[in-house]
Amino acid sequence: MGEEKAKPVMNGVWHTVKPFVNQGVSGMLATFVIQPVDMIKVRVQLGQGSAVSVTKDMLKKDGVCAFYKGLSAGLLRQAIYTTARLGTFRYLTNKFKAKEEEPPLYQKALYGLTAGAVGACLGSPADLALIRMQADATLHLDQRRYTNAFNALHRITANEGVLALWKGAGPTILRGMALNMGMLASYDQSFLLFKDKWCFGEGAAMTGAIFVSGFFAAACSLPCDYVKTQIQNMQPNAEGKYPYTGSLDCGMKTLKSGGLSKIYKGFVVYYARIAPHVMMTWIFLDQIQKLERRLDDNTLLTENRESI
C-alpha cells in the first residue's frame, strides 16, 4: 500500500521538475557544441579584431583547445540559467494550456520576461565566471587567474566579496529578459504560424521558428550583452577608478563614442551563436522527450504484463 501511495507522489514531483531538468540538459549539450563561437564573440566584443582574425590568432597561439577555455563555467551557467529560464517559461505556458487555451503573444512575452529575469538572477555568478575565464584566456600563461569555474567563483568571492558575483547583474538580467522575450515568445508564435496557418510539416515549422526566434533574440539582447560584457570585464585604472559607473553609463558612453554600430558590433557572430544554440537546444530537448516517451511506454507495457 505504501508503495502505491508513494508512486503517484513521485510521479507528480517528476511531472513538475521535468521541464526544468530537460531544458537544463538540452541547454548544456547545446553549449558544449556552440562554445567555440561564444568564445570568438566575446573576443570580438573586447576589441581584439574581426571574427576571422580572432579565430586565426586563437588557432595559432593555443590550437583547438583555445576555443573551449571557460567551458566549465559555460556548462555551470547553463545548468543554472537555462534550467531556470526555459523551465520557468515552459511551466508557465503549460499551466495556461491546462485550461485548453493557447497563450496570446503578449502573455508569452510576459512569461519570457519573467523566465529571463529568474534565470539571469540565479545564473549571474556563473555568467560572470564565464566572462572572466574567456577574457583570462587572452592573457599570457603566467598572468591567467583562473583554472576552472569553481576556482573563478572562489577567487572572485575571496578578493572582491560575495556581492561581486553579481557584478553586472543589472545588464545580465536585462539581457536575459530581452533574450527570452525575443526567443521564446517568437519561437512559439512562429511555430504555430508555420505549422497551423501555412501548413508546414513539423520539421520545417521547427526550423523556420528557430531562425525567427534566433533573429529576435539576438536583436533584442545584443545591446544588453555588449554592456554586460564591458561591465563584467572592466578593470580599475592606476587611480583605482573604473571606466564606467554602471550599465547606463556604459551604454551612454558607448553610444556617444561609436553609436549603434559599436553596440551592435559582432552581431553576425552573436546571431551565429544564438541561432544554432536555439536550434540545438530544441533538437536535444526533442530527442530527450522522445526517449522519455519510449521509456514511459516500455514501463507501462511492463506494468500491464505484470498485472495480467
Side-chain angles (χ1 to χ4, degrees), residues 15-16 18-20 23 86-103 111 188 289:
H15 179 74
T16 301
K18 185 167 65 172
F20 295 87
Q23 301 282 4
L86 296 187
T88 299
F89 180 80
R90 193 52 62 203
Y91 175 78
L92 292 172
T93 53
N94 286 345
K95 293 286 283 186
F96 196 100
K97 289 178 181 178
K99 304 174 186 177
E100 297 185 354
E101 297 178 23
E102 182 68 29
Y111 289 163
D188 271 20
Q289 291 174 333

Side-chain angles (χ1 to χ4, degrees), residues 248-296:
L248 181 61
D249 182 54
C250 177
M252 294 302 293
K253 285 181 177 177
T254 301
L255 287 172
K256 187 176 180 180
S257 63
L260 284 175
S261 62
K262 186 173 182 179
I263 212 165
Y264 271 95
K265 187 176 183 179
F267 179 81
V268 174
V269 177
Y270 188 65
Y271 177 79
R273 175 201 176 277
I274 289 293
H277 192 280
V278 171
M279 179 182 294
M280 285 181 287
T281 298
W282 291 120
I283 289 173
F284 282 127
L285 178 62
D286 182 60
Q287 293 303 310
I288 290 170
Q289 291 174 333
K290 285 180 179 178
L291 177 61
E292 284 180 344
R293 285 194 292 268
R294 285 198 296 268
L295 291 174
D296 288 342

Side-chain angles (χ1 to χ4, degrees), residues 1-269:
M1 293 292 290
E3 292 181 0
E4 291 179 0
K5 290 181 179 179
K7 192 172 183 179
V9 172
M10 291 301 294
N11 287 340
V13 171
W14 173 241
H15 179 74
T16 301
V17 303
K18 185 167 65 172
F20 295 87
V21 175
N22 289 350
Q23 301 282 4
V25 172
S26 60
M28 291 173 73
L29 291 171
T31 291
F32 181 82
V33 177
I34 209 67
Q35 172 72 10
V37 179
D38 194 44
M39 189 70 175
I40 295 169
K41 182 266 297 182
V42 170
R43 293 201 178 194
V44 169
Q45 287 184 333
L46 291 176
Q48 296 185 2
S50 66
V52 174
S53 64
V54 164
T55 302
K56 289 180 178 178
D57 185 60
M58 289 172 67
L59 284 172
K60 183 179 179 180
K61 289 183 177 179
D62 298 308
V64 177
C65 292
F67 296 99
Y68 284 92
K69 297 289 185 182
L71 178 61
S72 60
L75 294 177
L76 177 63
R77 176 178 178 273
Q78 289 298 319
I80 300 171
Y81 171 61
T82 298
T83 297
R85 72 185 178 105
L86 296 187
T88 299
F89 180 80
R90 193 52 62 203
Y91 175 78
L92 292 172
T93 53
N94 286 345
K95 293 286 283 186
F96 196 100
K97 289 178 181 178
K99 304 174 186 177
E100 297 185 354
E101 297 178 23
E102 182 68 29
L105 180 59
Y106 81 89
Q107 194 84 27
K108 292 176 183 176
L110 289 175
Y111 289 163
L113 287 170
T114 302
V118 171
C121 186
L122 294 176
S124 188
D127 191 61
L128 175 63
L130 174 61
I131 296 296
R132 290 283 187 92
M133 289 185 69
Q134 288 177 328
D136 207 47
T138 66
L139 304 175
H140 193 270
L141 285 173
D142 59 0
Q143 295 178 311
R144 294 178 185 177
R145 299 161 291 178
Y146 315 116
T147 56
N148 56 58
F150 295 103
N151 174 257
L153 293 172
H154 172 72
R155 294 196 62 178
I156 292 169
T157 302
N159 297 332
E160 305 172 45
V162 175
L163 293 180
L165 294 175
W166 277 269
K167 181 184 289 185
T172 298
I173 292 172
L174 288 175
R175 174 190 178 276
M177 294 172 70
L179 187 147
N180 279 275
M181 181 184 69
M183 183 179 82
L184 299 176
S186 65
Y187 176 83
D188 271 20
Q189 201 69 19
S190 56
F191 181 82
L192 291 174
L193 179 67
F194 287 130
K195 190 172 185 293
D196 296 341
K197 291 194 175 181
W198 293 351
C199 300
F200 281 34
E202 186 166 339
M206 181 178 177
T207 302
I210 283 168
F211 283 100
V212 170
S213 64
F215 174 80
F216 279 104
C220 291
S221 65
L222 182 55
C224 297
D225 185 78
Y226 180 90
V227 171
K228 175 182 71 69
T229 300
Q230 303 305 314
I231 292 291
Q232 289 181 328
N233 197 55
M234 67 179 179
Q235 297 294 328
N237 59 19
E239 299 176 354
K241 293 183 179 180
Y242 286 93
Y244 310 113
T245 58
S247 303
L248 181 61
D249 182 54
C250 177
M252 294 302 293
K253 285 181 177 177
T254 301
L255 287 172
K256 187 176 180 180
S257 63
L260 284 175
S261 62
K262 186 173 182 179
I263 212 165
Y264 271 95
K265 187 176 183 179
F267 179 81
V268 174
V269 177

